[in-house]
Amino acid sequence: MAGIPGLLFLLFFLLCAVGQVSPYSAPWKPTWPAYRLPVVLPQSTLNLAKPDFGAEAKLEVSSSCGPQCHKGTPLPTYEEAKQYLSYETLYANGSRTETQVGIYILSSSGDGAQHRDSGSSGKSRRKRQIYGYDSRFSIFGKDFLLNYPFSTSVKLSTGCTGTLVAEKHVLTAAHCIHDGKTYVKGTQKLRVGFLKPKFKDGGRGANDSTSAMPEKMKFQWIRVKRTHVPKGWIKGNANDIGMDYDYALLELKKPHKRKFMKIGVSPPAKQLPGGRIHFSGYDNDRPGNLVYRFCDVKDETYDLLYQQCDAQPGASGSGVYVRMWKRQQQKWERKIIGIFSGHQWVDMNGSPQDFNVAVRITPLKYAQICYWIKGNYLDCREG
C-alpha cells in the first residue's frame, strides 16, 4: 500500500470516480462494477463537550448550488479529504467524541497497510417536491410492508426516514440529527421505529383491493446507542460542500432481526438499470403510509445524484437503491447507493429548475461507512 498525498491522491480520487469497472456480462444484465477501494481508518479520538441539543429538526435541505456549480468545485486535496471524512460520535448518555482519520490504499498483495500523512439561497418554494403527476405509491398490505425491500425502511423519532444496512445499523441523512452546528432536539433520546401495521378486521391482510386495510400504523421503537456524522457536514453548509456529506449512521442498542440492504459504491448514472433509482420513505403528507417511488437520474456530480423523484419532507434519509447483477455470486442484488437529502434550485441557462438530490456513496464514503459498521477494514474490500 502506498501513500496518496498531493497529485497521487488526486489521481486515485479520479480513478475511484470512474471506477475500475468490469464490462457488462450481457446487455440485459447491468452488473455491479468492481472498484479499487480505499481504506479509511481512525487515527486519534478527542473527547468533546456535551452538545445542547437545541436545533430544530429540519426535514429537508435546500441548496442553490446545482450540478454545474458542483462540477466546477475542485476535487478535495488529501488533507481536505481527511478533514471531511473525520467524524463526530454522539453516545446515548450525551457524551461526544471527534475522530481524525487516515486514508489508505492497499498494496497489490493486499497483506499490509501503509500510508503517508504529511502531518503524522435561494428561491423560496412550497414544501411540495412533486413534479407533474404525483408518481408515488403508498404501500399497503402486510405482505408488502413487512417484506424486503420495503421492510428495510424505518422511521426516525426526529421525523425522517432511515434504511437498515446491517444487523444493528441504520443509514440516514445527517440533517435529520444535526443542523451543521449542533444536534437537533430529541437526538439524545433518538429512537428508530419499525413498522407493524394493524388491520381493521384483525386479519393478516392480502394484496387485492378488497383486503383488510391498515387502521393505523404501529411502530416498534428501538433506542439508538450512538451516531456517527462526518465532519464534512458539520463544518460545511448546505449551500457549499456540506450537502455532499449529508449522511449519518445510527447504531441501535439491540439487533432488529430483519433483513437489511447492503451499501454499495454508486455506479455512474449511465450504468444504472434504465438510468433509474428507487427509494421508500415516510413522506409527511401521507401520515401512516410508507411511500415508494422510482425515477430517472437527470444529472450527477461525483458526490450527488440529481433527480425528480416525487418526495415530501419526511422522506429525507431514505436509502436510494438499485438492483444489479452480482457476477461473483451469479445473482441479482439490491444495494443502497445513496441517501435522499433534499431539494435544490438549479440555474439552467438562466432559467431556474428544481431537483431533488441524493448523496452518492463514493468509494471513500463507502470505506468510511463500512468501517463504522464492521470495525475492520478487511471486511470492506468489496463495494
Side-chain angles (χ1 to χ4, degrees):
M1 187 161 147
I4 49 174
L7 293 176
L8 287 178
F9 177 73
L10 180 60
L11 179 62
F12 173 76
F13 202 89
L14 291 170
L15 179 65
C16 286
V18 298
Q20 294 184 333
V21 180
S22 303
Y24 292 165
S25 57
W28 58 87
K29 279 189 177 180
T31 304
W32 285 108
Y35 289 89
R36 185 183 185 187
L37 293 174
V39 174
V40 177
L41 291 178
Q43 298 297 294
S44 62
T45 300
L46 300 174
N47 291 319
L48 301 177
K50 289 187 177 182
D52 59 10
F53 303 100
E56 296 293 334
K58 294 177 62 178
L59 300 185
E60 63 177 353
V61 174
S62 297
S63 172
S64 58
C65 183
Q68 295 308 314
C69 168
H70 276 271
K71 290 174 184 178
T73 302
L75 292 174
T77 65
Y78 176 53
E79 292 299 325
E80 288 172 337
K82 288 200 307 176
Q83 176 185 343
Y84 300 150
L85 292 173
S86 295
Y87 57 92
E88 196 165 290
T89 302
L90 176 69
Y91 297 87
N93 64 3
S95 62
R96 185 172 53 130
T97 60
E98 177 180 317
T99 302
Q100 301 297 318
V101 303
I103 301 174
Y104 309 76
I105 54 173
L106 286 180
S107 62
S108 57
S109 63
D111 59 357
Q114 301 176 347
H115 85 300
R116 179 180 175 187
D117 185 338
S118 60
S120 54
S121 131
K123 299 173 69 71
S124 62
R125 65 170 272 142
R126 294 183 300 153
K127 293 288 186 182
R128 289 184 61 82
Q129 299 167 25
I130 306 300
Y131 301 90
Y133 175 75
D134 190 344
S135 60
R136 296 174 297 165
F137 301 87
S138 292
I139 305 301
F140 293 110
K142 183 176 180 181
D143 291 342
F144 286 119
L145 285 169
L146 300 185
N147 285 336
Y148 188 84
F150 304 117
S151 59
T152 64
S153 295
V154 293
K155 186 175 180 66
L156 273 59
S157 56
T158 53
C160 288
T161 300
T163 307
L164 304 177
V165 292
E167 291 87 352
K168 294 176 64 176
H169 292 89
V170 175
L171 187 64
T172 189
H175 75 259
C176 295
I177 61 174
H178 197 290
D179 73 349
K181 296 180 181 179
T182 190
Y183 290 89
V184 305
K185 296 176 181 178
T187 304
Q188 186 174 358
K189 297 182 179 179
L190 185 64
R191 300 179 300 158
V192 171
F194 295 77
L195 188 62
K196 296 176 71 69
K198 288 183 176 180
F199 292 90
K200 288 183 179 180
D201 63 358
R204 295 187 230 168
N207 295 335
D208 56 63
S209 59
T210 61
S211 68
M213 297 297 285
E215 183 180 44
K216 62 181 291 187
M217 283 297 195
K218 179 182 178 182
F219 288 94
Q220 177 185 1
W221 296 91
I222 298 180
R223 285 285 301 273
V224 172
K225 178 180 179 180
R226 60 180 175 178
T227 67
H228 299 301
V229 178
K231 298 294 286 186
W233 170 257
I234 295 174
K235 292 187 176 181
N237 62 77
N239 290 319
D240 190 12
I241 196 168
M243 204 169 195
D244 297 350
Y245 295 87
D246 187 11
Y247 60 92
L249 189 76
L250 319 180
E251 181 181 344
L252 305 176
K253 285 194 171 183
K254 63 180 182 179
H256 52 73
K257 299 180 181 180
R258 289 194 181 186
K259 185 176 180 180
F260 56 85
M261 195 179 302
K262 295 179 181 178
I263 62 170
V265 175
S266 173
K270 64 182 179 182
Q271 294 182 17
L272 302 178
R276 291 175 177 171
I277 57 173
H278 309 250
F279 63 95
S280 301
Y282 293 98
D283 301 52
N284 63 4
D285 69 324
R286 297 191 186 184
N289 288 349
L290 177 65
V291 184
Y292 162 77
R293 74 228 76 196
F294 66 89
C295 67
D296 297 341
V297 174
K298 300 297 184 181
D299 205 343
E300 65 181 325
T301 65
Y302 182 73
D303 285 288
L304 301 174
L305 290 173
Y306 294 84
Q307 32 78 18
Q308 291 184 332
C309 282
D310 293 329
Q312 287 274 0
S316 293
S318 300
V320 173
Y321 65 88
V322 294
R323 179 175 177 265
M324 298 175 70
W325 182 252
K326 192 74 171 176
R327 181 178 289 106
Q328 296 91 326
Q329 285 78 34
Q330 290 292 294
K331 67 176 184 179
W332 294 96
E333 184 175 19
R334 292 179 179 88
K335 290 184 182 181
I336 301 293
I337 62 166
I339 304 94
F340 177 60
S341 177
H343 177 265
Q344 284 193 347
W345 277 100
V346 177
D347 187 358
M348 304 289 286
N349 300 319
S351 177
Q353 184 175 355
D354 52 348
F355 289 93
N356 281 329
V357 182
V359 177
R360 298 178 68 181
I361 298 180
T362 63
L364 282 169
K365 293 173 189 172
Y366 175 90
Q368 179 189 56
I369 297 169
C370 183
Y371 185 84
W372 286 344
I373 296 172
K374 304 284 189 180
N376 186 346
Y377 76 89
L378 293 175
D379 295 327
C380 301
R381 304 308 307 139
E382 181 184 333

